[in-house]
Amino acid sequence: MKDGFGRRIDYLRVSVTDRCNLRCIYCMPEAGIPQIEHSAILRLEEIQQLVELIHQALNLRKIRITGGEPLVRRGIVSLVKSMAPLAETTMTTNGILLPKFSAELHAAGLSRVNISIDSLKNQVIREVTRRDVSLEMIEEAIGSAKANCLDPVKVNCVVLKGVNSDEPAEMIKWASGMGVTMRFIEHMPMTGSVCSHVAGDEILTGICAELGPVKKISTEGTAEMYVTDSGIRFGIIAPVGGGMCANCTRLRLTAEGELLPCLAGGESLDLGLMLRSGRKDSEIISAVHDLVAKKPHHGACGGVSMWRIGG
Ligand code: SAM
Ligand code: SF4
């Protein structure tokens, strides 16, 4: 189905939990997140039911499972198994638990993963995640994803002024050696985040200063893709100026069952409540159509939390 601006809305991001085993400084408060009552979080069967109804409404092309950290949700493999027959099913993860799950996720039908890493320096990784995470752990996660055909692997880095803003060029070379594609994300000033923003243009200028001129080659979803003189591809995702909004094809389902038409918030639909109050499938499908028709053209980031809506 197309929205009011002619965009085909066929990509659903599903946050399966608000919990996480890390506390990234750009995402969650150090003290942790406000505890959402366990009963408010959708059960696995409820997530499955809602995703099927949204698929009936929109004929989804792609589903991305996210969180919080999706791999801390019990039953994650069976959830993947229920979604994979509907549309291409992918996952965004911090990678910590990936070596344990890669083989099962692949067998369940997951097609690929995006993994987050924000530095090549262990001290900075620990500073950003506020946990004892190392480069070796992330390299192991990438290795297990590739060994289990969850590829091409994309690696996401949120660029933070004075923290890792001197690292993109080195990370591009590292990613090339690992056989993965690096993507740099502008920091969005969301609730819970305590960092400084570096604009996409500034990230690119820093990369060119170290690696020489780069060429823009394509747009892949929300990422502008570039190639260096030595042939290494990388991406820049710059949501803050709203430049990606014109091509947005996404809806987001939170772990409590709220369907959001825009990362920046706006009017939403409480599908969890509709499901639990016994509304008919046809009513839920029609409400999804109404929400898509009202999807805003663009929004201003802020006021919502990444761990809740899944990035
Ligand atoms: N826990 C998983 C992970 O970190 O990959 C999935 C959830 S996380 C909320 C999804 C994506 O959002 C990650 O790539 C993360 O880097 C990104 N993210 C979180 N907070 C952000 C912020 N304030 N600005 C930009 N990206 C952010
Ligand atoms: Fe957890 Fe991902 Fe947020 Fe980091 S970005 S705190 S790993 S949900």
Side-chain angles (χ1 to χ4, degrees), residues 20-24 26-28 67-69 94 307:
C20 187
N21 43 1
L22 305 183
R23 289 285 178 276
C24 301
Y26 50 73
C27 178
M28 280 194 182
E69 172 49 40
N94 61 33
W307 46 264

Side-chain angles (χ1 to χ4, degrees), residues 13 19-22 24 26-28 65-70 92-95 114-118 156-158 185-190 193 239 306-311:
R13 294 177 71 101
R19 306 292 158 97
C20 187
N21 43 1
L22 305 183
C24 301
Y26 50 73
C27 178
M28 280 194 182
I65 300 174
T66 176
E69 172 49 40
T92 300
T93 168
N94 61 33
N114 288 359
I115 298 174
S116 302
I117 177 176
D118 299 306
N156 293 334
C157 164
V158 180
I185 309 178
E186 274 183 351
H187 168 249
M188 290 178 261
M190 314 299 277
S193 162
M306 277 297 193
W307 46 264
R308 192 166 163 260
I309 54 179

Side-chain angles (χ1 to χ4, degrees), residues 37 65 72 91 131 157 236:
E37 250 186 78
I65 300 174
V72 304
M91 183 179 284
R131 291 291 183 270
C157 164
I236 295 202

Side-chain angles (χ1 to χ4, degrees), residues 191-221:
T191 307
S193 162
V194 289
C195 321
S196 309
H197 173 79
V198 184
D201 287 351
E202 210 181 318
I203 300 171
L204 197 58
T205 306
I207 292 170
C208 293
E210 291 194 44
L211 299 182
V214 300
K215 219 189 300 165
K216 186 167 163 189
I217 46 169
S218 59
T219 303
E220 278 179 15

Side-chain angles (χ1 to χ4, degrees), residues 154 181 183 217-225 233 237 250:
K154 294 177 187 167
T181 305
R183 304 183 326 158
I217 46 169
S218 59
T219 303
E220 278 179 15
T222 52
E224 298 291 353
M225 299 304 298
R233 290 169 75 252
I237 300 175
R250 304 170 173 196

